[in-house]
């Protein structure tokens, strides 16, 4: 994992300037020493990442952090200096949704929608590593993402649909 | 409250040099998954020393007779290592029960011990692997059997500013079983966990180590049960007797996760299940 020499980072008027790669583009945030990546993202307009429990339990704040899903509510923002972060905004947009997002809609896996950004992040990481997962593998990959509406049936269906979509897309290329 | 100061040393040498200039109430930050919870309850110190970037803490070494696991390795990194799958079956079996995938990507094995909780899945597994813990303070190393590191709930043998360098685990030909009872199949803190590692030779138990989580003030070693099994065959009778001994060694409490009486009874059930799995292996 790439780690930067943050010891050279100094606070100006109580704020640190951190530089990171966010959804493929360079970004700069001014953050307080006690601020968390989740709050920093949301304060800078990246509100797709949701704040559920704020204690590492619910998974709704999952982001890609240096290549793996991690919980933004438990990452001190200063330690994100030099990191590569991916949020739901980098996965797809309303006009151009990612096949995983399409699959969640098609399967009816979205009710209130609060847990979905985290679920999509977890599902995307799974499908990038295991293109044709078993139901048990899907359940394991999503087991850190809590949902209070749908009962964990439609979302598992959604990941199966997404897996098929992505494999078909890859085969046609 | 969360602290106002966070420092990030570039090496262990830099760390020892920087420490004296920092506020006295300082805490090490590795994966952060326990420290952030402590912070939200106001018990996380005035200053965080971020050790997550220290390469010295992420080493993994294999010798003909042992493995050394750096304290800064994450649970998911360990679970993927072929040497872990081969030599540390208890740790490999415990990994899927350890919190959630995203938390496993963050949480370190050193932090799992440093937190001092009797419920820690990684610690419970390493105890049954006969691990020792290696501590470091300003160039001075010391090594303790892992169970001796725990002094009470959230209390460990760590001295002021001392770091966990890693864990030394002997290679021995054993099979393991990890039985966890939580609020759900996965992603829950254990009500009770029982881990058994055993070396069976010629049909009899040559050595066995039984560790239990969440049923004592510290990670519990069920020594009477393990001693009883020495030199015996694992059958219905010996399994049931060993499981009863393990239950007698547990001294759980009632808390938000479960009740004392239930936990005690479940030690017997889980120990019997784990031993039956080992007998069938």
């Amino acid at each position: 994992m790439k780690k930067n020499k943050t010891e050279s980072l100094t606070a100006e008027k109580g704020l640190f300037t951190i530089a990171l790669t966010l959804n493929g583009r360079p970004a700069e945030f001014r953050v307080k020493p006690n601020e968390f990546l989740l709050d920093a993202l949301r304060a800078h307009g990246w509100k797709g990442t949701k704040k559920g429990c704020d204690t590492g339990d619910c998974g709704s704040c999952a982001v890609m952090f240096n290549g793996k899903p991690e919980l933004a509510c438990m990452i001190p923002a200063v330690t994100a200096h030099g990191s590569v972060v991916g949020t739901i905004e980098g996965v797809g947009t309303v006009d151009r949704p990612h096949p995983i997002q399409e699959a969640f809609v098609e399967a009816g896996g979205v009710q209130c929608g609060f847990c979905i950004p985290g679920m999509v992040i977890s599902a995307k990481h799974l499908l990038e590593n295991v293109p044709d997962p078993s139901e048990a593998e899907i359940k394991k990959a999503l087991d850190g993402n809590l949902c209070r509406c749908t009962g964990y049936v439609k979302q598992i269906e959604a990941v199966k649909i997404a897996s098929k979509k992505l494999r078909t897309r890859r085969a046609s290329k | 409250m969360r602290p106002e100061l966070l420092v990030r040393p570039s090496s262990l040498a830099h760390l020892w040099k920087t420490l004296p200039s920092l506020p006295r109430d300082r805490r090490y930050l590795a994966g952060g998954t326990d420290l952030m919870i402590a912070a939200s309850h106001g018990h996380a110190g005035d200053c965080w020393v971020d050790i997550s970037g220290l390469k010295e803490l992420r080493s993994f070494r294999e010798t003909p007779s042992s493995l050394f696991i750096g304290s800064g390795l994450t649970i998911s990194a360990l679970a993927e290592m072929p040497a872990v799958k081969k030599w540390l079956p208890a740790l490999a079996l415990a990994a899927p029960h350890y919190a959630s995938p995203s938390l496993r990507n963050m949480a370190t094995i050193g932090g799992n011990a440093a937190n001092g909780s009797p419920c820690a899945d990684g610690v419970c597994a390493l105890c049954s692997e006969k691990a020792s813990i290696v501590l470091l303070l300003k160039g001075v190393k010391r090594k303790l059997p892992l169970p001796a590191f725990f002094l009470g709930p959230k209390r460990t043998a760590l001295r002021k500013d001392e770091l966990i360098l890693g864990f030394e685990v002997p290679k021995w030909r054993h099979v393991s079983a990890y039985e966890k009872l939580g609020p759900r199949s996965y992603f829950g803190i254990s009500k009770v966990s029982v881990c058994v590692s055993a070396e069976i030779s010629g049909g009899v138990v040559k050595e066995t180590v039984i560790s239990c989580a969440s049923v004592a003030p510290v990670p519990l070693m069920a020594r009477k049960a393990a001693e009883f099994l020495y030199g015996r065959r694992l059958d219905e009778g010996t399994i049931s007797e060993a499981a009863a001994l393990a239950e007698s060694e547990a001294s759980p409490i009632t808390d938000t996760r479960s009740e004392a009486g239930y936990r005690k009874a479940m030690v017997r059930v889980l120990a019997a299940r784990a031993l039956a799995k080992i007998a069938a292996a």
Side-chain angles (χ1 to χ4, degrees):
Chain A
M1 188 162 66
K2 213 173 114 187
K3 285 279 177 182
N4 279 262
K5 287 180 184 167
T6 312
E7 69 274 14
S8 62
L9 215 62
T10 47
E12 276 174 54
K13 290 178 189 162
L15 292 177
F16 288 94
T17 303
I18 61 165
L20 60 155
T21 307
L22 180 57
N23 296 327
R25 292 195 180 151
E28 241 181 45
F29 291 170
R30 307 252 294 150
V31 298
K32 284 180 262 176
N34 59 1
E35 195 169 342
F36 281 68
L37 180 61
L38 172 61
D39 299 313
L41 284 168
R42 294 179 58 83
H44 288 81
W46 299 91
K47 293 192 174 174
T49 305
K50 297 292 180 256
K51 185 167 180 165
C53 66
D54 215 15
T55 51
D57 289 308
C58 75
S60 65
C61 69
V63 297
M64 291 304 290
F65 191 74
N66 293 324
K68 286 190 167 174
E70 293 195 6
L71 301 179
C73 76
M74 305 203 106
I75 302 172
V78 184
T79 66
H81 180 60
S83 64
V84 179
V85 176
T87 68
I88 190 71
E89 287 92 342
V91 176
T93 62
V94 174
D95 300 329
R96 297 193 58 186
H98 188 277
I100 297 175
Q101 292 169 310
E102 290 172 357
F104 269 77
V105 174
E106 284 166 29
V110 184
Q111 281 190 27
C112 90
F114 212 77
C115 68
I116 301 300
M119 286 225 182
V120 170
I121 294 285
S122 295
K124 188 163 178 278
H125 183 65
L126 168 73
L127 295 176
E128 280 166 5
N129 291 286
V130 187
D132 190 9
S134 66
E135 184 159 321
E137 285 171 318
I138 297 171
K139 284 183 178 172
K140 267 191 184 175
L142 296 187
D143 87 35
N145 298 94
L146 305 188
C147 165
R148 305 300 299 269
C149 307
T150 66
Y152 308 105
V153 174
K154 306 280 190 191
Q155 290 129 349
I156 289 156
E157 194 52 40
V159 179
K160 285 184 194 165
I161 295 171
S163 154
K164 208 173 281 173
K165 276 177 185 276
L166 288 166
R167 278 179 288 130
T168 312
R169 198 165 76 161
R170 224 168 280 144
S172 66
K173 264 186 189 170
Chain B
M1 233 350 257
R2 292 155 181 177
E4 290 295 326
L5 183 66
L6 185 143
V7 291
R8 206 176 182 191
S10 57
S11 65
L12 279 177
H14 183 202
L15 167 74
W16 305 127
K17 220 166 90 184
T18 314
L19 281 177
S21 65
L22 301 176
R24 272 196 66 76
D25 190 7
R26 49 192 178 239
R27 300 286 296 271
Y28 287 123
L29 164 67
T33 56
D34 284 315
L35 193 60
M36 301 308 139
I37 302 302
S40 58
H41 292 94
H43 311 303
D46 298 328
C47 165
W48 286 349
V49 182
D50 179 6
I51 53 171
S52 65
L54 296 181
K55 271 199 210 101
E56 295 103 316
L57 302 183
R58 286 202 302 272
S59 68
F60 185 88
R61 290 190 299 276
E62 187 171 354
T63 73
S65 62
S66 69
L67 297 172
F68 183 83
I69 298 172
S71 61
L73 291 166
T74 62
I75 306 305
S76 59
L78 284 169
E80 286 161 15
M81 287 180 178
V84 168
K85 287 179 192 161
K86 183 170 177 196
W87 291 107
L88 308 179
L91 188 59
L93 285 169
H97 294 281
Y98 190 116
S100 68
S102 43
L103 285 166
R104 290 197 287 276
N105 289 337
M106 309 172 76
T108 65
I109 189 72
N112 199 222
N115 192 41
S117 169
C119 72
D121 289 305
V123 167
C124 183
L126 280 182
C127 282
S128 109
E129 302 278 12
K130 302 200 286 185
S132 297
I133 188 164
V134 182
L135 309 175
L136 180 70
L137 181 61
K138 295 174 187 138
V140 182
K141 263 191 224 177
R142 59 187 184 120
K143 191 164 97 174
L144 299 173
L146 183 54
F149 174 74
F150 301 97
L151 306 180
K154 300 266 170 184
R155 284 200 305 121
T156 68
L158 277 173
R159 293 170 185 155
K160 173 87 183 153
D161 290 335
E162 199 170 32
L163 265 181
I164 301 174
L165 189 61
F167 303 85
E168 207 175 282
V169 199
K171 286 182 178 172
W172 55 302
R173 303 215 160 272
H174 61 292
V175 283
S176 298
Y178 196 85
E179 293 291 317
K180 172 166 169 172
L181 191 64
R184 297 169 285 275
S185 317
Y186 290 100
F187 194 21
I189 302 175
S190 65
K191 297 171 191 279
V192 183
S193 292
V194 176
C195 186
V196 180
S197 292
E199 183 175 350
I200 313 275
S201 176
V204 298
V205 175
K206 206 175 145 202
E207 181 166 18
T208 182
V209 186
I210 304 174
S211 54
C212 312
S214 299
V215 290
V218 292
L220 174 74
M221 305 305 288
R223 292 197 170 90
K224 284 183 201 163
E227 268 164 38
F228 166 79
L229 288 171
Y230 176 75
R232 293 180 199 259
R233 280 175 191 282
L234 287 178
D235 57 33
E236 215 170 293
T238 56
I239 288 176
S240 130
E241 198 154 331
L245 279 170
E247 178 182 346
S248 75
E249 294 176 81
S251 56
I253 55 164
T254 295
D255 64 13
T256 52
R257 293 199 302 275
S258 189
E259 288 171 13
Y262 177 71
R263 281 179 152 146
K264 206 164 162 63
M266 287 307 109
V267 172
R268 183 198 292 242
V269 172
L270 298 188
R273 276 185 203 165
L275 287 166
K277 276 189 186 167
I278 284 180

